Every structure is written in structure tokens, then in C-alpha cells.
């Protein structure tokens, strides 16, 4: 889409996360940057991209190829007059599907059973082999009722007759009516009552380690925690210890506190399912995310308001 405009497009030659230096070098002299969630961009990176012949700031837009944008220091970037956009909506269904895949995987011990089968450990049917937990008619607690959280709640209610409770800064009457959902103003109440807890809040100073050891201890020993939002929202050391000591029954995480590294000891545990930040990774959705990011750049560079402008 960008090349079709006749524009010069520089694609990173590195099939890996860029260093700050590489990121700074690559953007120099360009009008737009299409960033990944691993590209940490602050005022100093933007300053490094420098001015163009015609304006104070060469780069006019940073189009983040992700819905989350905690990799951008939005305040410092906005102060420099650079626009920012993200890729909401197009990945909602895919992330909600992946979230449900994780819920079912941990409850039905799918990853563990796969490993068991491949290892040749199945020697004949047994009634108590790899017993899991039913999902249907249990209670799902959704932390953060945005687009993705609502879609997960939809699957829970429509597909599995689950009861839904949610915690958010805002109440949503229409949602409560449609899904019979119960609002929990206090996160603690949701934590102590839900059987499955799924996190869908953005990473902000206020949500870092929102789930810590104290809050894990509020959960039922039979409950499961699922995280497809951002790793640092869960204290991963506390999660490892809670899984190890039976404070909670299990967990499934797509996002890790220090990607691409996992807290030591986590992979020794059978009661956790781990995916490598791939919740939106389907062919369809990755294609759409690219189109949305490119569209935002085109709108911005042609002087129109990009559709997914991030207001700071
Ligand atoms: C992925 O984590 C995203 O924020 O899009
Ligand atoms: C299990 O395979 C059953 O037939 O109950």
C-alpha cells in the first residue's frame, strides 16, 4: 500500500527486535515510522530521527502495529508534534479466540496431554488419567471490559453458559443487561469469586503488577488466571510461586513479564500453558493489522486525520 503510493519504503533488514541505536538510525529522514510493540520509542529516539529540510520534525506519524502502545512514550512523542496510531478492532476476535483457547487448554490440560502422548506415556485408557476441570457454567471474571474483554465474555456466555463478572473503571449497563454480567467495583471481590480470571487491561503505571502475590492469594485454590494483555500486569515471580504451592490451580499466559525471557522455574510447572505473545497471530489478522497501520500512515501523510489517532 505504501509502495503503491510511490513512496520510498525502508524495511528493517534484521529479522529481530531492533536496538535503540538501530531504531534511531532507521527513522532518520523518513516521514513515517511503522513500529512494532518491541520498539521502545521515547522523546530521545524521536529527536534522533531529526528534522527534515522543511520541518522541525521529519517523522510525522508513528503507526504502531499493535493495539497496545505501552512501547510508546506518548507524552514525549506528542510534545514533539508527532502523531501516533494503533490497530484496534481488527484483532479483537482473534485475541478473544486465543484467550478462549488458553482457558480450554489449561482446564482440559491440553498442552500437558499432548506432551504426555508424544512421550509415549499412554499405555491404555484409565478413568482418572489427566483429569481436568469443566468450563461450562463456571464463573468468568473479566478484568478490563474493553473490546477484547467483552468479546471473551460473549464466548463465555453464549458458548459455555458461564456466569460473567467484570471489573473496570466504568460500569457498562448495556453489557450487564445483554450478558447478565455482574459488576465488581472492587477487584478483590472478583478475584475471590471467579473460577477463571482473564486480564484485558492496557499496561499503565496503575496496572503494573495489578496481580501480585497478595491478590493471587485472594483467588480460590481451584481458580485459573489467564493473561493475554501485557506481561508486567502480573508479577511473574509471584505467579510462579502461587502455581508451585497450590495457591491457585493453574494459569495460561500469552504475555510475559520480561519477554522473551520467562521467570526461571515457570517452565518446570505443568499447571501453566504458555504461548509466545501470539494471541493476535493469525494470517487474517496480521494482514489486517498491516493494512490498518499502512492506512493510518497514508491518511496522516496526505493531511487527513488517521482513523486510529491516539489522543494523549
Ligand atoms: C499485541 O500485543 C497488541 O497489542 O496488538
Ligand atoms: C469415552 O470415550 C466414552 O465413551 O465414555
Amino acid at each position: 500500500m505504501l509502495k503503491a503510493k510511490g513512496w520510498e519504503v525502508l524495511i528493517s533488514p534484521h529479522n529481530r527486535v531492533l536496538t535503540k541505536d538501530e531504531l534511531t538510525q532507521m527513522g532518520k529522514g523518513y516521514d513515517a515510522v511503522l513500529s512494532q510493540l518491541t520498539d521502545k520509542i521515547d522523546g530521545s529516539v524521536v529527536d534522533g530521527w531529526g528534522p527534515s529540510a522543511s520541518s522541525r520534525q521529519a517523522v510525522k506519524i508513528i503507526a504502531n502495529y499493535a493495539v497496545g502502545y505501552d512501547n510508546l512514550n506518548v507524552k514525549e512523542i506528542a510534545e514533539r508534534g508527532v502523531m501516533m496510531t494503533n490497530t484496534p478492532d481488527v484483532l479483537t476476535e482473534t485475541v478473544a479466540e486465543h484467550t478462549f483457547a488458553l482457558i480450554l487448554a489449561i482446564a482440559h490440560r491440553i498442552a500437558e496431554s499432548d506432551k504426555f502422548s508424544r512421550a509415549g506415556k499412554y499405555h491404555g485408557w484409565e478413568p482418572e488419567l489427566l483429569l481436568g476441570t469443566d468450563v461450562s457454567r463456571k464463573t468468568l471474571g473479566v478484568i478490563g471490559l474493553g473490546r477484547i474483554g467483552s468479546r471473551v465474555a460473549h464466548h463465555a456466555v453464549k458458548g459455555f453458559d458461564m456466569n460473567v463478572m467484570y471489573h473496570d473503571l466504568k460500569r457498562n449497563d448495556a453489557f450487564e443487561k445483554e450478558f447478565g454480567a455482574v459488576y465488581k467495583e472492587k477487584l478483590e471481590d472478583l478475584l475471590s469469586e471467579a473460577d477463571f480470571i482473564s486480564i484485558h487491561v492496557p499496561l499503565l503505571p496503575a496496572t503494573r503488577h495489578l496481580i501480585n502475590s497478595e491478590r493471587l492469594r485472594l483467588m480460590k485454590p481451584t481458580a485459573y488466571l489467564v493473561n493475554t494483555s501485557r506481561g508486567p500486569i502480573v508479577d511473574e515471580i509471584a505467579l510462579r510461586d502461587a502455581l508451585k504451592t497450590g495457591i491457585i490451580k493453574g494459569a495460561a499466559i500469552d504475555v510475559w513479564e520480561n519477554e522473551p525471557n520467562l521467570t526461571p522455574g515457570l517452565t518446570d510447572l505443568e499447571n501453566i500453558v504458555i504461548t509466545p505473545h501470539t494471541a493476535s497471530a493469525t494470517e487474517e489478522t496480521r494482514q489486517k493489522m498491516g493494512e490498518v497501520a499502512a492506512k493510518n500512515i497514508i491518511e496522516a501523510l496526505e493531511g487527513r486525520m488517521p482513523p486510529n489517532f491516539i489522543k494523549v
Side-chain angles (χ1 to χ4, degrees):
M1 287 166 70
L2 299 170
K3 284 179 178 167
K5 287 274 167 194
W7 297 339
E8 183 191 326
V9 178
L10 173 65
I11 297 169
S12 168
H14 309 293
N15 192 14
R16 56 165 170 78
V17 176
L18 299 180
T19 63
K20 182 173 177 179
D21 215 44
E22 289 166 341
L23 190 57
T24 309
Q25 289 307 317
M26 271 199 72
K28 271 195 210 306
Y30 282 83
D31 298 296
V33 167
L34 197 157
S35 55
Q36 308 298 327
L37 60 88
T38 42
D39 296 323
K40 300 220 177 314
I41 303 175
D42 60 9
S44 69
V45 171
V46 174
D47 292 341
W49 290 336
S52 71
S54 61
S55 76
R56 189 170 69 89
Q57 206 61 70
V59 170
K60 293 165 194 70
I61 175 171
I62 299 168
N64 210 42
Y65 178 90
V67 65
Y69 49 85
D70 48 281
N71 57 307
L72 305 178
N73 184 326
V74 292
K75 186 171 170 283
E76 292 184 11
I77 295 167
E79 276 169 5
R80 285 159 175 80
V82 179
M83 284 190 270
M84 288 161 278
T85 60
N86 64 341
T87 61
D89 305 315
V90 290
L91 49 64
T92 301
E93 285 197 351
T94 304
V95 177
E97 281 185 16
H98 194 93
T99 303
F100 238 91
L102 290 178
I103 290 173
L104 294 172
I106 190 63
H108 286 264
R109 301 175 66 175
I110 299 295
E112 208 184 331
S113 299
D114 179 87
K115 219 164 86 183
F116 176 91
S117 305
R118 289 167 193 262
K121 292 184 180 167
Y122 183 44
H123 302 303
W125 193 83
E126 294 173 49
E128 295 189 7
L129 179 63
L130 287 159
L131 295 183
T133 308
D134 284 328
V135 171
S136 295
R137 279 171 286 282
K138 295 282 173 60
T139 297
L140 173 71
V142 176
I143 303 177
L145 193 75
R147 289 170 286 245
I148 298 168
S150 316
R151 187 70 184 161
V152 170
H154 169 275
H155 295 333
V157 173
K158 306 280 182 189
F160 296 89
D161 296 319
M162 293 179 85
N163 302 305
V164 169
M165 51 179 64
Y166 72 104
H167 171 77
D168 197 286
L169 299 178
K170 291 187 303 247
R171 263 188 94 145
N172 183 330
D173 292 328
F175 172 80
E176 286 177 33
K177 237 197 204 126
E178 184 174 1
F179 296 107
V182 176
Y183 179 61
K184 295 289 175 184
E185 188 175 356
K186 296 220 320 261
L187 176 61
E188 285 70 19
D189 293 339
L190 179 146
L191 292 171
S192 62
E193 294 173 38
D195 300 308
F196 293 86
I197 292 165
S198 192
I199 306 171
H200 301 284
V201 290
L203 177 60
L204 300 164
T207 60
R208 188 172 291 273
H209 283 194
L210 182 71
I211 303 299
N212 55 20
S213 65
E214 262 164 51
R215 289 194 164 135
L216 286 163
R217 261 183 269 119
L218 295 175
M219 288 174 60
K220 300 198 259 190
T222 51
Y224 298 87
L225 181 71
V226 178
N227 187 13
T228 53
S229 59
R230 281 293 180 270
I233 291 165
V234 176
D235 177 341
E236 206 168 272
I237 291 174
L239 176 65
R240 177 201 61 196
D241 294 345
L243 290 169
K244 210 169 172 171
T245 56
I247 301 281
I248 66 171
K249 185 98 183 262
I253 58 171
D254 180 57
V255 286
W256 316 351
E257 186 165 1
N258 297 299
E259 291 174 25
N261 302 310
L262 276 169
T263 294
L266 211 53
T267 55
D268 299 335
L269 304 174
E270 290 293 1
N271 56 343
I272 184 166
V273 172
I274 306 167
T275 53
H277 206 148
T278 48
S280 64
T282 62
E283 293 185 16
E284 297 94 327
T285 290
R286 286 286 192 252
Q287 172 72 22
K288 286 182 205 154
M289 288 167 69
E291 286 169 12
V292 168
K295 172 91 171 148
N296 278 304
I297 289 176
I298 290 168
E299 295 299 292
L301 295 190
E302 293 186 341
R304 294 180 294 272
M305 188 54 133
N308 306 108
F309 179 73
I310 297 168
K311 264 204 226 89
V312 179

